[in-house]
Amino acid sequence: MTTPTTAPAPSPPATRPVPVWRHAVNGSTLGPLAALVLACVFFSLRTDTFLSGGNLSLIIQQVMVVGALAVGQTLIILTGGIDLSNGAIMAFGTIVMTKLAVDGTVPPLVAIGLGILVCGAFGLANGLLVTKISLPPFIVTLGMLNIAFALTHIYSNEQTITHLPSALTSLGSTFSVGSTDVTYGSVLTIGLFLVFAYLLSQTAWGKHVYAVGNNPEAARLTGIPTKRLLLGVYVIAGLVYGVAALLFVARTGVGDPQTGQTENLESITAVVLGGTSLFGGRGAVLGTLIGALIVGVIRNGLQLMGVSSIYQVLITGILVILAVTVDQISRRRAQ
């Protein structure tokens, strides 16, 4: 007598990775996307030049440096931290790469690489202090802001560095798309957002970043090396700040020790307006792009309307408070 065999249970269907665009267009970014569309519609109705190709290209150029900084800021905020030092780190990177290139100490391309690596070293220092000594990210990056600010002014000797080699300003060059001039730096900035959107949504590393931001202890218990991951996030963010330094140099054509004093807050603004939670674990880097564009569109549109710049700052501040309020309310409802 044959023993009846039990049919094997059907295997669960394979889980397909969520496409990058679906990861970006979710509950946390739909609101900012709607706000961006409404702002564009409003300013297009109030001004004749807002929707022109040249003006839209200008908006992207105006937000590309803060946008690049905001990419690194997004990574850190997703893990539950915050970085107040990114603008000052970027400023020091600009001085390192421009001074080395102009003095002829090293070839321009090597100077660019060294400037980016120096920014990465600042990120490493931030990460080590956060992970090895368990200092709060707010305190660590506040202290690093002052250190980077002081080193920038010491190393530059308070002098703006000019007459830069073309290698440092090439990203400020343009190419034509129809009748619109687009800078290579704008393309690089958008490329940064797309690369990190892919990494965060389609790789195990990205899923671990979200897990650490949601619950570090639970992530550790599941086998995620949380401290090593956090250290890597801060280093990667620092390297991205180095790219932002190169974008700044390309846009302005100088190494300016006075730069970077407000970009840290502007990058946080872009992240928050893009729907990323300041409590970590929720958000999308393409949402940060939307947030940066919201700020750029509002400032550009109000300027075209002849509104004083102080009102641009006022409206941006109101939007930040509203975005954080919505995030807090949604978190309470989820609990």
Side-chain angles (χ1 to χ4, degrees):
M1 181 176 178
T2 58
T3 303
T5 57
T6 304
S11 57
T15 302
R16 294 182 179 180
V18 179
V20 174
W21 69 271
R22 287 290 298 275
H23 184 78
V25 183
N26 53 37
S28 64
T29 56
L30 281 176
L33 182 59
L36 177 61
V37 172
L38 289 174
C40 290
V41 170
F42 174 78
F43 290 120
S44 64
L45 293 175
R46 297 300 299 269
T47 65
D48 296 330
T49 58
F50 177 80
L51 284 182
S52 65
N55 188 62
L56 295 178
S57 175
L58 177 62
I59 291 173
I60 296 176
Q61 293 176 47
Q62 290 171 338
V63 304
M64 68 181 187
V65 174
V66 170
L69 287 174
V71 170
Q73 187 75 259
T74 302
L75 297 177
I76 291 174
I77 289 179
L78 282 175
T79 64
I82 197 165
D83 193 350
L84 300 178
S85 64
N86 60 357
I89 291 173
M90 178 197 73
F92 187 62
T94 65
I95 295 302
V96 168
M97 60 180 66
T98 54
K99 191 173 179 65
L100 289 177
V102 170
D103 290 348
T105 307
V106 295
L109 291 179
V110 176
I112 291 171
L114 290 174
I116 294 175
L117 287 176
V118 164
C119 293
F122 272 100
L124 176 63
N126 282 336
L128 288 173
L129 291 170
V130 169
T131 58
K132 300 299 183 183
I133 309 181
S134 299
L135 295 178
F138 181 90
I139 299 300
V140 169
T141 58
L142 178 61
M144 201 62 68
L145 181 156
N146 290 292
I147 293 171
F149 177 82
L151 289 176
T152 298
H153 288 264
I154 292 170
Y155 185 56
S156 67
N157 198 27
E158 304 286 357
Q159 300 296 314
T160 299
I161 302 169
T162 57
H163 307 295
L164 305 182
S166 59
L168 273 73
T169 58
S170 59
L171 289 177
S173 303
T174 62
F175 62 94
S176 296
V177 177
S179 59
T180 302
D181 290 334
V182 179
T183 65
Y184 291 100
S186 300
V187 176
L188 176 59
T189 303
I190 294 174
L192 273 178
F193 278 101
L194 293 176
V195 166
F196 281 97
Y198 175 83
L199 291 175
L200 286 171
S201 63
Q202 306 295 311
T203 67
W205 175 81
K207 292 177 175 60
H208 292 170
V209 169
Y210 282 100
V212 170
N214 275 315
N215 191 325
E217 182 61 18
R220 185 185 67 81
L221 292 174
T222 61
I224 297 174
T226 55
K227 290 189 175 182
R228 189 171 65 189
L229 181 81
L230 278 174
L231 181 60
V233 164
Y234 278 92
V235 172
I236 291 171
L239 294 173
V240 174
Y241 302 155
V243 176
L246 178 60
L247 289 169
F248 177 85
V249 171
R251 175 159 171 74
T252 62
V254 297
D256 184 4
Q258 301 300 329
T259 193
Q261 298 185 33
T262 61
E263 279 81 353
N264 55 348
L265 299 181
E266 291 177 3
S267 68
I268 295 172
T269 298
V271 175
V272 171
L273 289 181
T276 295
S277 173
L278 283 174
F279 301 97
R282 188 179 64 180
V285 73
L286 290 182
T288 298
L289 174 59
I290 295 172
L293 289 174
I294 289 174
V295 176
V297 163
I298 289 175
R299 292 183 175 178
N300 177 269
L302 292 177
Q303 187 173 16
L304 291 176
M305 292 172 60
V307 178
S308 172
S309 61
I310 193 64
Y311 290 100
Q312 303 171 24
V313 178
L314 173 66
I315 292 174
T316 303
I318 293 172
L319 288 175
V320 169
I321 293 174
L322 287 175
V324 176
T325 301
V326 170
D327 177 44
Q328 183 77 309
I329 292 173
S330 64
R331 280 177 59 86
R332 288 177 180 173
R333 288 180 177 176
Q335 293 173 355

